[in-house]
Amino acid sequence: MTTKEIADKTVQVNEEGFMTDPNEWTQDIAAAIASEEGVSELTPEHWKVIDYSREVGLESGSAPTLRNITKGAGVPTKELFGLFPKGPAKKVAKISGLGKPEGCV
Amino acid sequence: MSEENRKIAFICSKGNMDMVYPALVMGWAALGNGIDVTIFFTFWGMDMINKARVDRLEVAPVANTSMKMNLMGVDTGNLGIPNIMGVLPGMTAFATKLMNDKMAGIDVPPVREYLEMLVDGGAKLYACKMSVDMFDLEMDDFVDGVIDIVTASDFMDMTEGAQIVFI
């Protein structure tokens, strides 16, 4: 376990860069990780996905799968891949301060 | 991260239900991790993209040594479904229903919907020219998202540098 400085805050991360304590997460941290992940601006559409993932993550203890997000947040698959290009599964989880999704679908 | 994006290609050659899911599950996982996905359908795998067949894929209990009675929720341990029973009319439909219910129970989408998700996620689907000729099929027979009918040689060209999984 290591720590990392993100948006002027020190947070705990694992070896893959996922935050390990979702309570350390802030919206500024989300924006900073997003920019590292190539998502330069977080629009209301991005937040809809992130807020939903936070809700599921805090409740269940792990990040939602992509299908859970499309069904639960009502964001179509195509739009989700457009908002978080090149690997939305990991990107959404990382930006939301959660671990990797644990389901397959 | 390397400069070139990682690429993976699946060759789907089977239409039995247990053999159609691996490419869908792994392809979806690949897209979720930012990997380019190409799927080439050939031989019995054509059933996966055939509009008339995709919702009717089956699994047969005959000669399937892994399919045990306990799939039905009865605690019968390693007791298999006897082949002699498997040949009875309706047994394939029965086994298929069991499998479909199991899949739905863990929120796995049906094949048609899975393919739509993959296409929406950026996967590229192609039909095999030889199989198209052999089964008398044409583009109109396929579900939305199949880009083209291509030859084996085309497939080799388009998957240069990709990891290839044959199913």
Side-chain angles (χ1 to χ4, degrees):
Chain A
M1 197 81 68
T2 51
T3 57
K4 191 179 169 185
E5 187 96 2
I6 309 172
D8 301 325
K9 250 190 103 183
T10 306
V11 297
Q12 299 176 66
V13 293
N14 68 12
E15 60 280 4
E16 287 182 273
F18 288 88
M19 287 174 63
T20 53
D21 182 358
N23 296 313
E24 291 180 337
W25 179 93
T26 64
Q27 294 198 338
D28 287 342
I29 288 178
I33 300 177
S35 140
E36 270 179 34
E37 293 289 326
V39 180
S40 54
E41 198 199 340
L42 292 178
T43 64
E45 285 73 33
H46 288 95
W47 281 111
K48 190 174 167 190
V49 173
I50 297 168
D51 289 342
Y52 176 77
S53 301
R54 291 284 303 168
E55 206 176 296
V56 172
L58 291 178
E59 177 120 344
S60 71
S62 63
T65 61
L66 290 181
R67 185 168 149 88
N68 183 334
I69 294 172
T70 56
K71 293 272 168 195
V75 179
T77 304
K78 211 178 254 181
E79 192 184 319
L80 184 57
F81 275 80
L83 289 169
F84 301 91
K86 296 207 168 192
K90 280 186 178 176
K91 280 186 187 174
V92 171
K94 205 174 245 184
I95 294 168
S96 306
L98 305 164
K100 264 198 285 196
E102 285 170 20
C104 289
V105 195
Chain B
M1 276 273 234
S2 55
E3 299 277 311
E4 182 116 344
N5 210 31
R6 185 174 161 195
K7 293 191 278 188
I8 190 158
F10 297 93
I11 301 171
C12 291
S13 73
K14 297 284 199 293
N16 290 345
M17 231 174 64
D18 51 331
M19 296 300 275
V20 308
Y21 273 100
L24 301 175
V25 176
M26 286 190 282
W28 182 243
L31 291 171
N33 284 8
I35 300 164
D36 291 346
V37 174
T38 300
I39 312 180
F40 183 73
F41 297 91
T42 185
F43 238 92
W44 308 124
M46 302 299 282
D47 274 4
M48 293 174 70
I49 49 170
N50 186 336
K51 273 191 281 202
R53 291 283 314 137
V54 64
D55 299 321
R56 294 178 174 78
L57 301 178
E58 295 171 301
V59 58
V62 176
N64 187 342
T65 55
S66 288
M67 188 173 258
K68 302 299 182 193
M69 301 251 259
N70 62 14
L71 198 64
M72 294 175 242
V74 194
D75 186 14
T76 45
N78 280 315
L79 202 57
I81 298 174
N83 280 331
I84 190 78
M85 271 175 71
V87 299
L88 297 175
M91 277 304 280
T92 296
F94 178 64
T96 301
K97 184 179 183 314
L98 279 181
M99 194 68 93
N100 276 331
D101 289 350
K102 287 266 178 203
M103 292 284 198
I106 54 167
D107 201 28
V108 173
V111 177
R112 185 188 286 266
E113 189 186 336
Y114 227 136
L115 281 172
E116 284 168 9
M117 283 160 47
L118 282 155
V119 169
D120 285 348
K124 299 191 186 80
L125 313 186
Y126 296 97
C128 156
K129 171 85 170 74
M130 196 184 89
S131 303
V132 163
D133 292 346
M134 185 171 68
F135 295 123
D136 278 329
L137 295 166
E138 49 187 70
M139 279 299 281
D140 275 352
D141 294 313
F142 300 136
V143 296
D144 290 343
V146 176
I147 297 171
D148 203 358
I149 296 165
V150 300
T151 65
S153 169
D154 294 334
F155 174 76
M156 287 303 149
D157 285 341
M158 63 177 72
T159 55
E160 189 179 341
Q163 293 164 303
I164 298 182
V165 182
F166 180 87
I167 300 165

